[in-house]
Amino acid sequence: MSTDLDISPVALRRAMVAGIKDAGYPLSRDVEQALLAVERHAFVPGASLAEAYAAAIVVTKRGPGGEVLSCLSAPSIVALQLQQLDVRPGHRVLEIGAGTGYNAALLGHLVGPGGHVTTIDVDADIVDDARRRLAAARVGNVEVVLGDGALGSQGGAQFDRIVATVGAYDIPQSWLSQLAPGGRLVVPLRIRGSITRSIAFERDEAGGWRSADHQLCGFVPLRDGAADDPRRTISLTADETVTLQLHQEHDGNTAWLAEIFDQPRTAAWTGVTFGPMESVEWLYLWLACTEPGGLCRMATAATAVESGQVAPMFNWGAMAVAADDALAYLTWRAAEGARDRRELAEVGIIGHGPGASTLVDQINERISLWEKHFRQSTVTIEIPADRAGSSDPAEGQFFLDRTHNPVAVRWVEA
């Protein structure tokens, strides 16, 4: 049996990069070289070499309730954001969320000796640890600052690139105002519920900002500052085998959800199918925009599935809609004529609660609208210059108001 002593960190970095590519994430030559050059294991506390380079997150700090407060993102997500950011030598970069300093070290490699990276974190212990690890790695063009990242750089400097490595529900004006002409902002923006997309914004001709790229992702949220995005998890079963993640837009009474599966089940099948190479992420985004509370992550234990209590889409669970008097979640079955779900799967909806029938029908209609008119469309996400706007699902246009900057999501012909 091999041990860490038998494993070369260089070989592990090469394998990490190969795994990122195999997972379908494109890598530019510069990003690939940065991933090969920076020693990830030097920024992963308490992990073996194999764990440091594995295709998974590494949790580095938890709250009193066990919630993740800080982590090292999976290598594929790190690579995704670096690709979206398009950093060039000599750039000045602002990073929101220092973590262990690994991403800042990668950015420092990309900007080179003529560039500079400022990374901000709200926790003093995280800042101290990142400083120590960056110094030990002899990264000299990165500054680690203690502060509220939502406020941007306190010195008011202009940056060529700004990247948030923590999830945000809003886009503070400080991030936009501190971007130099031609600058780019990359932010994991929570659309609604548990649906987050990493979006690369560039200024458009109207004075707003338009997505150059956006990809499905998940991040630890901003907290303890001007744009924090609190979330909580509630149990839907007495034995806590099914839980639901709720966000700041779910501020109503949710105590009644604790016994939701004791109520009769209502189910409907949509006729909408997905093949083995098709992603449900665009359906998720559509429902996040059309449902007032968006889609929430419903996690299920194997025992709850085996007992027949729930029938989720995936082993981890399913995406769900929580209304005032019902809960509905997505499921699927083998489509007509298919041998099993892996060949062709049909989407279904399962609801519980007094208003389950109405909620299931509503979701079914919205899925049907997407299937008929918008499944083949492309999606742009914008920060409009005009703060006024409205939603029109029939036109594939959604206006999502926020405290700092509203967001418009539009389905357009491919």
Side-chain angles (χ1 to χ4, degrees):
M1 179 180 296
S2 64
T3 67
D4 277 358
L5 296 177
D6 306 317
I7 301 172
S8 161
V10 173
L12 285 170
R13 286 197 292 280
R14 288 174 180 165
M16 178 185 73
V17 167
I20 292 170
K21 291 179 176 179
D22 290 344
Y25 294 89
L27 291 179
S28 67
R29 180 180 179 279
D30 289 344
V31 170
E32 181 173 343
Q33 290 302 311
L35 291 166
L36 290 172
V38 176
E39 295 185 329
R40 183 176 165 96
H41 64 275
F43 295 91
V44 186
S48 67
L49 278 174
E51 291 168 339
Y53 291 99
I57 70 167
V58 179
V59 177
T60 55
K61 183 175 182 178
R62 291 186 182 274
E67 67 276 17
V68 177
L69 298 182
S70 184
C71 71
L72 202 66
S73 295
S76 58
I77 297 299
V78 172
L80 164 65
Q81 284 205 307
L82 292 177
Q83 283 292 124
Q84 290 182 316
L85 200 59
D86 189 27
V87 177
R88 309 290 176 84
H91 271 172
R92 291 176 58 83
V93 180
L94 174 64
E95 179 189 38
I96 313 301
T100 65
Y102 174 63
N103 201 66
L106 292 168
L107 291 169
H109 186 278
L110 288 167
V111 302
H116 188 268
V117 177
T118 301
T119 182
I120 302 176
D121 206 283
V122 72
D123 285 343
D125 58 334
I126 290 177
V127 167
D128 291 342
D129 183 65
R131 285 174 179 165
R132 180 176 61 81
R133 293 181 185 279
L134 287 162
R138 297 184 179 180
V139 179
N141 59 352
V142 174
E143 176 188 15
V144 188
V145 177
L146 176 65
D148 181 1
L151 302 178
S153 172
Q154 294 184 10
Q158 292 285 290
F159 297 92
D160 301 289
R161 300 288 188 266
I162 296 178
V163 57
T165 56
V166 287
Y169 183 62
D170 204 347
I171 300 174
Q173 189 59 36
S174 59
W175 295 355
L176 302 178
S177 63
Q178 290 185 0
L179 275 169
R184 176 178 283 204
L185 166 68
V186 172
V187 54
L189 185 68
R190 190 169 66 78
I191 306 301
R192 269 203 194 123
S194 303
I195 302 301
T196 296
R197 297 190 72 84
S198 182
I199 308 169
F201 285 109
E202 293 181 336
R203 190 178 292 277
D204 61 25
E205 296 178 354
W209 298 79
R210 182 186 296 266
S211 58
D213 182 70
H214 57 97
Q215 305 287 335
L216 186 68
C217 67
F219 276 81
V220 174
L222 275 168
R223 57 186 175 84
D224 299 335
D228 60 333
D229 186 23
R231 64 188 182 190
R232 58 195 170 101
T233 299
I234 64 170
S235 179
L236 302 181
T237 55
D239 57 4
E240 300 185 350
T241 55
V242 185
T243 60
L244 187 69
Q245 188 178 87
L246 297 176
H247 301 266
Q248 59 179 286
E249 56 263 47
H250 305 104
D251 57 358
N253 177 25
T254 58
W256 67 276
L257 285 169
E259 301 177 355
I260 191 68
F261 297 116
D262 292 337
Q263 302 191 39
R265 173 184 297 192
T266 298
W269 295 98
T270 65
V272 175
T273 60
F274 285 85
M277 302 303 293
E278 292 182 291
S279 172
V280 295
E281 66 175 289
W282 303 109
L283 176 58
Y284 284 176
L285 181 59
W286 176 263
L287 291 175
C289 290
T290 55
E291 295 299 326
L295 283 180
C296 297
R297 182 182 174 90
M298 186 183 80
T300 59
T303 52
V305 179
E306 292 163 0
S307 68
Q309 192 169 35
V310 290
M313 266 190 167
F314 302 104
N315 290 335
W316 58 262
M319 301 308 293
V321 175
D324 291 336
D325 58 356
L327 176 82
Y329 63 90
L330 299 179
T331 187
W332 51 22
R333 66 183 180 187
E336 185 177 355
R339 289 170 295 182
D340 55 39
R341 289 181 301 184
R342 290 172 296 181
E343 181 179 354
L344 190 66
E346 179 187 5
V347 176
I349 310 151
I350 295 176
H352 293 265
S357 179
T358 299
L359 181 59
V360 167
D361 287 346
Q362 172 183 292
I363 296 171
N364 200 348
E365 289 173 4
R366 289 171 173 169
I367 292 176
S368 178
L369 178 62
W370 172 78
E371 169 75 10
K372 291 177 181 178
H373 300 290
F374 301 107
R375 184 166 184 168
Q376 304 306 319
S377 299
T378 59
V379 181
T380 63
I381 302 177
E382 304 166 12
I383 307 170
D386 184 356
R387 290 186 60 89
S390 60
S391 297
D392 186 353
E395 296 295 327
Q397 299 185 13
F398 302 91
F399 184 84
L400 311 178
D401 201 9
R402 299 288 193 267
T403 300
H404 297 287
N405 281 287
V407 175
V409 184
R410 308 181 195 279
W411 270 255
V412 297
E413 291 186 7

